[in-house]
């Protein structure tokens, strides 16, 4: 990391007085991907544009993002494909549920936990391993413990939240999942589709309502009041922040004009859109897990 910091610092001063020998091609860009780390150089962060991936908002959007990363080969790569597809949908639904519960504030969880895609990926591999290695009676209790207490529960610090998490998981990791009349909600809108191709699952997800009802989270309709109050406050705060400020008459430019100039300069400095077909074909290859590299995801 210190070596990286020196390289970036030298790049940022290229062309300055005293450093005329260092030349950087105008089309050169340095792209870095990293998990959150306390030892990551602060100067590198300050000298670059930062992008972060946030989970999609809404149960439907969350499921669409999850299944957009799957391939048909990934779904079929299991000794018990029918069970795997059914339970994978239940796991994906559970992942979306616990992420969306955060919007209800303390009604969802006592503490806001940052569950992410890595939790789902590890749990998916665990599920596949259990299905491939178990030929006798399926160990539901062991799968529940590893997925709930370790993979996801490792982030949970509140005992009541952990109990809540495990009870939610038991709704989607259960032998009843394979019954045709088993629903994830009282309305019957949400359920695990029958065995089929990848497109079959995507079509079902597309048919789901855009805005989910609190009943799918096991909550009363009044729980939406908390969520809507939070959204309203955030919207009003954003409106107040972007309101034009009064500027001193002695100033040459107002605050809005300065911001506009900076935004225009940033737009002019941005390179053209990347053309996937013109890039390195190996960069966008799908690996055995049906996923692309983190760099390819950022570029796309």
């Amino acid at each position: 990391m210190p070596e990286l910091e020196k390289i970036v610092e030298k790049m940022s001063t290229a062309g300055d007085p005293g450093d005329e020998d260092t030349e950087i091609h105008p089309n050169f860009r340095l792209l870095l991907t990293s998990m959150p780390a306390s030892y990551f150089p602060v100067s590198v962060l300050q000298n670059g544009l930062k992008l972060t991936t946030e989970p999609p908002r809404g149960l439907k959007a969350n499921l669409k993002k999850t299944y957009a990363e799957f391939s048909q080969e990934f779904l079929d790569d299991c000794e018990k494909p029918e069970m795997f597809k059914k339970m994978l949908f239940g796991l994906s639904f559970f992942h979306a549920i616990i992420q969306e519960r955060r919007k209800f504030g303390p009604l969802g969880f006592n503490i806001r936990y940052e569950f992410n895609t890595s939790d789902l990926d590890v749990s998916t591999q665990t599920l596949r391993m259990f299905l491939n290695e178990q030929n006798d009676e399926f160990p539901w209790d062991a799968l529940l413990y590893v997925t709930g207490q370790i993979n996801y529960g490792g982030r949970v610090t509140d005992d009541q939240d952990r109990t809540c998490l495990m009870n939610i998981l038991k709704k989607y990791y259960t032998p009843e999942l394979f019954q045709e009349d088993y629903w994830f909600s009282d309305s019957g809108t949400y359920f695990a589709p029958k065995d089929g191709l990848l497109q079959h699952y995507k079509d079902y997800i597309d048919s789901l309502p855009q805005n989910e009802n609190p009943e799918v989270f096991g909550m009363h309709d009044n729980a939406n009041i908390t969520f809507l109050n939070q959204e309203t406050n955030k919207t009003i705060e954003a409106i107040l922040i972007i309101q034009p400020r009064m500027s001193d008459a002695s100033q040459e430019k107002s605050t809005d004009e300065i911001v506009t100039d900076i935004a225009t300069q940033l737009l002019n400095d941005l390179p053209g859109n990347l053309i996937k077909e013109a890039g390195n074909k190996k960069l966008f290859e799908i690996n055995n897990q049906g996923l692309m590299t983190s760099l390819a995801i950022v570029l796309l």
Side-chain angles (χ1 to χ4, degrees), residues 216-227:
V216 72
F217 301 98
M219 296 182 176
H220 192 271
D221 287 346
N222 288 343
N224 246 354
I225 297 176
T226 301
F227 165 63

Side-chain angles (χ1 to χ4, degrees), residues 58-61 189-190 204-213:
L59 195 60
K60 178 178 179 179
T189 304
Y190 301 93
Y204 167 72
I205 294 172
D206 288 335
S207 69
L208 296 177
Q210 196 68 33
N211 298 313
E212 60 275 0
N213 197 299

Side-chain angles (χ1 to χ4, degrees), residues 63 67 75 81-93 172 176-184 188-208:
L63 286 170
Y67 270 78
L75 295 182
E82 292 186 10
M83 287 186 66
F84 178 68
K85 293 176 187 177
K86 197 86 168 180
M87 296 180 69
L88 178 61
F89 188 87
L91 175 62
S92 302
F93 203 93
Y172 306 103
E176 298 177 359
L177 181 68
F178 301 97
Q179 299 177 5
E180 293 186 3
D181 58 347
Y182 185 73
W183 316 101
F184 293 157
T189 304
Y190 301 93
F191 56 90
K194 295 180 180 179
D195 178 39
L197 299 176
L198 175 62
Q199 190 59 43
H200 171 66
Y201 295 93
K202 290 183 176 181
D203 291 341
Y204 167 72
I205 294 172
D206 288 335
S207 69
L208 296 177

Side-chain angles (χ1 to χ4, degrees), residues 147-286:
T147 304
Q149 297 285 5
I150 300 176
N151 296 346
Y152 283 93
R155 300 182 183 275
V156 181
T157 56
D158 185 90
D159 291 339
Q160 292 181 334
D161 286 342
R162 186 182 296 272
T163 300
C164 178
L165 180 81
M166 290 302 298
N167 280 302
I168 295 173
L169 180 59
K170 289 177 182 178
K171 187 175 183 179
Y172 306 103
Y173 264 1
T174 171
E176 298 177 359
L177 181 68
F178 301 97
Q179 299 177 5
E180 293 186 3
D181 58 347
Y182 185 73
W183 316 101
F184 293 157
S185 63
D186 294 336
S187 64
T189 304
Y190 301 93
F191 56 90
K194 295 180 180 179
D195 178 39
L197 299 176
L198 175 62
Q199 190 59 43
H200 171 66
Y201 295 93
K202 290 183 176 181
D203 291 341
Y204 167 72
I205 294 172
D206 288 335
S207 69
L208 296 177
Q210 196 68 33
N211 298 313
E212 60 275 0
N213 197 299
E215 56 112 16
V216 72
F217 301 98
M219 296 182 176
H220 192 271
D221 287 346
N222 288 343
N224 246 354
I225 297 176
T226 301
F227 165 63
L228 294 175
N229 283 338
Q230 291 178 351
E231 290 297 294
T232 302
N233 291 334
K234 288 180 182 178
T235 303
I236 294 175
E237 289 174 2
I239 293 174
L240 292 175
I241 290 173
I242 63 177
Q243 276 188 324
R245 301 290 192 271
M246 297 299 294
S247 60
D248 190 349
S250 62
Q251 291 182 348
E252 295 180 0
K253 293 183 178 181
S254 66
T255 305
D256 284 355
E257 290 173 335
I258 295 174
V259 172
T260 301
D261 290 343
I262 295 175
T264 303
Q265 180 182 352
L266 290 174
L267 286 175
N268 293 332
D269 291 343
L270 286 175
N273 292 333
L274 291 173
I275 302 175
K276 180 179 178 181
E277 290 73 15
N280 189 337
K281 294 182 180 180
K282 292 184 178 180
L283 180 63
F284 302 100
E285 289 181 352
I286 306 297

Side-chain angles (χ1 to χ4, degrees), residues 72 104 128 145 159 196 239 260 273 292:
Q72 187 61 50
F104 296 107
R128 190 199 303 274
Y145 184 86
D159 291 339
I239 293 174
T260 301
N273 292 333
M292 290 189 294

